[in-house]
Amino acid sequence: MIFLYEQGEQGIRISRVFGIGESVEIPEKIQGYPVTELGAYAFSDRMDRKEFEGILASGKLCRDDGIPADSVEGIPEMAGDVLQEVCLPEHLAKIGRYAFYNCRNLRKIRVGSELSDLGAGALTGCHRIERVEAKLREDGSSCLRELLTELPEELRVDLRKNGETGRFWFPEFFEEGVENTPARILENHVHGSGIRYRNCFSHKSLNIKEYDKLFAYARAWEQESAVARLAADRVLYPMELSESAKEQYVNFLKEHILPAVSYLAQKKEYSAMGKILEEILPGREDLDEMLVWSEREGDMECVSLLMDHLHRHTKMRRKVFEL
């Protein structure tokens, strides 16, 4: 992989990336200088070719192993539909305008704690992003709010701080223009609980208490499978989770354990599934339903886990009865 870059007073600006593959990890440093900026249209397939030629003529080229490169002739650009995953360096503070414009297959993006400047339209056209990873600053702030305003689709967000990970789901929302004929105005209607979740920020920090209070809206407006994902991951990754908030998630999972287990099984997260089962302690009827589902899906590891759980807890109940 080869990086086209420019060196400024604050550090290195990445202008273009060349290589073969679907994922890009931008290094923390190039030639000993920290990478602090991602240039405008850096990953877009719509970069102006005259502007590109100018940057190519004045910039520098470096391979991902730190060795300078002489040319990118014959090496494809990592841009547009090619890109599926990108990991940005810890010291990157700025993403230029339309940096990911029309990266239609981009599914995951990871950013560091120092990102503070998100250019206009940076994620325009990125409608398949499923996952965002962000590192929080010591005060709990991050660039997450700015990222979410450009991403109305359902998102899984992993927040990291001091070695702890919190996993938060932000449901989808969409806006619809509805004509009010008598009033001769166009009214803007917003559908989905996602808009409420995206508004539970205090300045640049996610207000986790407010986030957890919105669960009733998710239950009312979102599909069962989406709510089960949200509840399961809040229990599994309980960053700043109060006992009352945990209780509401656990109570939901007790009533909707099958969609939660099927979600974890599809992700092959069997250890997490075991933790949820121990937390919920589902009854025999629910366990039988989950066993039927996992056998039908041909997931023998899930079957084994459920049988083990059933055996251990049935045995425990029998001992109590015998006493």
Side-chain angles (χ1 to χ4, degrees), residues 48-323:
D48 182 85
R49 301 320 293 177
K50 288 185 177 180
E51 183 178 351
F52 168 71
E53 294 296 337
I55 296 173
L56 187 60
S58 61
K60 300 178 181 179
L61 296 168
C62 183
R63 298 189 338 199
D64 51 7
D65 57 8
I67 299 175
D70 297 324
S71 172
V72 290
E73 186 176 353
I75 303 176
E77 298 173 34
M78 299 283 290
D81 291 346
V82 172
L83 190 66
Q84 292 192 21
E85 183 176 331
V86 63
C87 177
L88 301 176
E90 176 64 28
H91 297 294
L92 191 109
K94 179 179 180 180
I95 294 178
R97 69 187 190 282
Y98 300 105
F100 296 97
Y101 180 65
N102 269 2
C103 290
R104 288 177 284 260
N105 291 321
L106 181 61
R107 286 174 167 78
K108 176 184 174 183
I109 182 170
R110 189 173 80 186
V111 300
S113 61
E114 295 188 26
L115 179 60
S116 58
D117 186 351
L118 189 68
L123 294 166
T124 299
C126 301
H127 297 301
R128 291 188 178 178
I129 293 184
E130 302 169 345
R131 182 176 170 186
V132 173
E133 293 184 8
K135 188 175 181 180
L136 300 177
R137 305 182 188 102
E138 286 299 318
D139 62 358
S141 64
S142 71
C143 64
L144 180 60
R145 185 173 193 171
E146 289 77 7
L147 290 170
L148 289 174
T149 58
E150 297 204 20
L151 300 171
E153 292 80 18
E154 182 188 43
L155 287 172
R156 190 189 102 183
V157 175
D158 289 355
L159 298 180
R160 294 173 289 118
K161 182 181 178 182
N162 297 329
E164 181 184 9
T165 296
R167 183 166 293 175
F168 302 86
W169 284 86
F170 287 81
E172 180 182 17
F173 76 94
F174 67 94
E175 300 180 66
E176 177 186 24
V178 178
E179 184 178 0
N180 186 329
T181 304
R184 296 183 178 179
I185 60 173
L186 188 66
E187 298 177 344
N188 189 44
H189 292 190
V190 180
H191 303 274
S193 64
I195 191 67
R196 292 178 179 269
Y197 276 92
R198 284 162 174 78
N199 286 332
C200 59
F201 282 81
S202 298
H203 303 293
K204 288 183 175 292
S205 299
L206 177 64
N207 188 327
I208 296 178
K209 288 184 179 180
E210 290 301 316
Y211 175 97
D212 289 329
K213 288 179 182 179
L214 294 174
F215 188 58
Y217 292 98
R219 292 192 63 171
W221 293 347
E222 306 303 329
Q223 294 183 354
E224 180 189 38
S225 57
V227 184
R229 289 193 292 268
L230 189 156
D233 280 335
R234 277 302 281 139
V235 173
L236 290 167
Y237 302 89
M239 178 181 280
E240 298 182 25
L241 181 63
S242 67
E243 285 300 319
S244 59
K246 179 180 179 180
E247 183 178 0
Q248 70 173 347
Y249 293 127
V250 169
N251 287 339
F252 176 85
L253 292 171
K254 286 180 178 179
E255 299 172 3
H256 306 268
I257 187 61
L258 180 57
V261 165
S262 63
Y263 155 64
L264 295 170
Q266 289 164 8
K267 297 292 185 181
K268 308 297 182 185
E269 296 184 7
Y270 297 108
S271 176
M273 187 192 301
K275 292 179 182 178
I276 287 293
L277 291 173
E278 291 299 322
E279 188 74 51
I280 304 303
L281 293 176
R284 180 61 184 263
E285 185 177 338
D286 287 329
L287 283 167
D288 287 343
E289 185 181 7
M290 286 184 280
L291 278 166
V292 169
W293 175 85
S294 56
E295 288 173 349
R296 186 172 64 245
E297 294 295 313
D299 191 337
M300 292 301 104
E301 191 162 353
C302 184
V303 170
S304 177
L305 188 150
L306 290 169
M307 289 297 293
D308 178 67
H309 180 87
L310 177 63
H311 173 73
R312 286 186 294 106
H313 290 281
T314 301
K315 192 174 181 180
M316 288 171 60
R317 285 195 292 271
R318 284 177 179 170
K319 284 184 178 180
V320 172
F321 179 79
E322 288 169 3
L323 287 171

